[in-house]
Amino acid sequence: MNDFEDAIRDLGKRLDCPVHVHSALIDVNDTLTFVKKILLTNKVQNFTASDVVALTRIVMERENMLFLRDQEEQ
């Protein structure tokens, strides 16, 4: 666990936060990390926080679409 995950776990305990909220925060954090790596690996220069957020949204929407498609196929 990293500092962010530890802080979220502690917050969840204090606020009696549902597990799915904790999982969602961790998923978004992980996706943000990967999006920044994608941009840096592809040598995208001068990207902003809004670029990272927009790409994160695209990745998460794609993940959801693939999940729903897999559910339909089962």
Side-chain angles (χ1 to χ4, degrees):
M1 296 253 159
N2 61 34
D3 290 341
F4 175 79
E5 291 170 342
D6 290 340
I8 294 300
R9 187 183 323 111
D10 292 343
L11 178 66
K13 288 178 185 174
R14 284 183 290 156
L15 299 179
D16 197 24
C17 189
V19 173
H20 65 275
V21 173
H22 175 267
S23 295
L25 290 169
I26 299 300
D27 287 349
V28 170
N29 183 63
D30 290 346
T31 304
L32 277 167
T33 300
F34 281 110
V35 163
K36 290 192 296 187
K37 286 181 183 183
I38 289 169
L39 293 168
L40 292 170
T41 299
N42 288 289
K43 300 185 183 346
V44 176
Q45 297 179 8
N46 301 324
F47 61 87
T48 65
S50 62
D51 297 327
V52 174
V53 170
L55 186 52
T56 299
R57 182 176 311 217
I58 291 167
V59 170
M60 296 186 85
E61 287 172 355
R62 176 77 174 154
E63 176 188 18
N64 188 49
M65 192 258 326
L66 292 171
F67 174 78
L68 293 174
R69 186 184 70 189
D70 289 346
Q71 294 299 311
E72 290 175 359
E73 291 177 359
Q74 291 180 356

